[in-house]
Amino acid sequence: HPDNVRVFVELGRAMLASDDPKAAESALKTALKLDEESLTARVLMGDVHAAKGKFTRARKEYGTALEIDSAYIPARLRIALAWHRGGKPEKAIEDLKTLLGPDNLPRLVAGHWLLASILDDTGDVDGAIAALNQILAISKEDPRALMAKGHLLLKQNKPMDAVAVYTKVAELRPRSPEPQFCIGWAHEKSADAPEIKEEEMIKRLKLAAEAYEKCAGMDPGVRPRDSVGFVSLLAGMHVEAVTQFRRATDIDPKFAPALNNLGLADDLADNRSKAKTRYENVIKKIDKKNVRAHVMLALDLWVDGSHNKAIKELEKALKINPDDDLAWTFVGDI
């Protein structure tokens, strides 16, 4: 039935999800001709404009929806997001704090999520954690909020606090590999603290390896296996590390991080010739834009006395990623 508004609304939603904003706009215009007060159509039309980067027009559509129904929450949240994406996050934060205030909707979980995301984007990690804590006050065992809080604690360089949060998620979801991987990741970061002694560093690296191993037991993918190898190598367990890297490359022979790590293991065993071959193979056969392979190859060339060749490799790395701090460090050193 051509006058069925819902059909055109859902068609617009589907076209938008299919990354076809032009077709979505056409369907939604038809829906709004049939019912200009369709709140869903108004919000989706705002989403179409937002997808095109036209945030002022998007806010106008969301605003029209709110003129029809001032309590329509999707429009309130979308307006805040449009302010943020349009370059005015302070306006988005102000609107959301009003919406989430004690006189409005302090228990609106979706609002706290959006506020946390915007605050994180603007560099206010403390504020983002506070927003997540509001979610956890409403639902103390929300795994997604706990995982997000752990990630923010790592941003604050509080890896052991992050370990505690990830461990809570692992207890809530004992069959999920993700929290175990993050426990390993947090332990690995904690081992990198400049103030800890070598004995404590190795202890933390072994804890990271245990967590990554648990993750690998649930996730047969290459990444956790490579991570077990990497922290084992940092802990001085060279044979174990090489074994893990080889198991990783058995899973995926073209997984560049594991191949680079095998090269690093060769370097630590004073076999630079073999290491250089590995890095060159990554660049030539797997990923010519692999920054780490270029940098590690440059390091070996430098140690071998080939300074000009090393500089050329580092220039290639910096062309790919101008912000690679290790590449700039080696350029300065050479």
Side-chain angles (χ1 to χ4, degrees), residues 13-239:
R13 191 196 307 276
M15 291 298 98
L16 191 58
S18 301
D19 198 25
D20 189 348
K22 185 176 181 180
E25 185 173 7
S26 176
L28 293 168
K29 280 182 177 178
T30 301
L32 289 168
K33 283 180 181 178
L34 296 170
D35 180 6
E36 63 180 13
E37 294 192 352
S38 169
L39 295 173
T40 306
R42 286 289 174 194
V43 166
L44 287 172
M45 185 65 84
D47 292 350
V48 167
H49 294 312
K52 294 178 179 180
K54 298 177 180 179
F55 300 110
T56 301
R57 291 189 67 184
R59 290 196 302 271
K60 183 178 179 181
E61 290 290 348
Y62 302 142
T64 300
L66 288 173
E67 289 172 4
I68 298 166
D69 182 355
S70 61
Y72 193 56
I73 300 304
R76 293 285 298 271
L77 296 177
R78 296 291 214 295
I79 280 181
L81 183 58
W83 278 119
H84 175 49
R85 293 179 62 195
K88 293 186 177 180
E90 67 284 351
K91 178 61 177 171
I93 293 167
E94 179 186 343
D95 282 0
L96 285 171
K97 286 184 175 179
T98 299
L99 176 64
L100 298 169
D103 296 329
N104 285 311
L105 298 169
R107 296 179 64 83
L108 181 63
V109 170
H112 291 296
W113 269 114
L114 182 56
L115 180 59
S117 175
I118 293 172
L119 289 168
D120 182 25
D121 284 348
T122 58
D124 185 358
V125 179
D126 287 337
I129 290 177
L132 291 173
N133 284 339
Q134 289 297 319
I135 297 171
L136 292 168
I138 298 165
S139 178
K140 293 182 180 180
E141 297 186 344
D142 185 326
R144 286 182 60 239
L146 287 167
M147 288 296 290
K149 183 176 178 178
H151 298 341
L152 292 175
L153 286 168
L154 285 180
K155 278 191 175 184
Q156 289 186 319
N157 198 27
K158 297 178 180 178
M160 297 313 297
D161 290 345
V163 167
V165 174
Y166 294 139
T167 300
K168 177 65 175 177
V169 182
E171 292 169 356
L172 294 169
R173 294 187 170 180
R175 296 185 180 181
S176 173
E178 184 185 7
Q180 290 296 343
F181 187 90
C182 289
I183 291 170
W185 179 28
H187 276 306
E188 182 182 334
K189 286 183 73 68
S190 75
D192 196 36
E195 70 275 7
I196 67 170
K197 297 180 180 179
E198 184 176 359
E199 183 179 348
E200 179 64 20
M201 178 190 73
I202 292 174
K203 178 182 176 182
R204 294 185 184 189
L205 288 170
K206 288 182 177 179
L207 288 171
E210 289 175 9
Y212 285 140
E213 186 64 56
K214 287 181 183 178
C215 176
M218 293 182 275
D219 177 2
V222 64
R223 188 177 174 219
R225 187 60 59 194
D226 176 58
S227 295
V228 176
F230 184 67
V231 292
S232 297
L233 190 62
L234 293 179
M237 298 183 289
H238 190 276
V239 174

Side-chain angles (χ1 to χ4, degrees), residues 247-321:
R247 290 179 70 181
T249 55
D250 285 343
I251 298 169
D252 183 355
K254 293 186 176 181
F255 187 66
L259 294 168
N260 284 336
N261 284 333
L262 278 170
L264 177 59
D266 289 329
D267 278 327
L268 293 175
D270 287 328
N271 192 346
R272 287 195 301 279
S273 177
K274 190 172 183 180
K276 285 191 288 187
T277 299
R278 291 191 192 278
Y279 302 138
E280 288 168 348
N281 284 339
V282 168
I283 295 166
K284 292 177 181 177
K285 298 180 181 180
I286 296 174
D287 180 10
K288 66 181 180 180
K289 292 187 177 182
N290 191 286
V291 172
R292 193 54 59 234
H294 283 292
V295 171
M296 296 306 294
L297 177 58
L299 178 59
D300 282 344
L301 289 167
W302 173 31
V303 173
D304 286 341
S306 300
H307 298 83
N308 290 335
K309 289 182 179 179
I311 287 289
K312 287 181 180 179
E313 287 299 326
L314 292 170
E315 287 174 345
K316 291 177 184 176
L318 290 168
K319 187 175 182 180
I320 299 164
N321 180 13

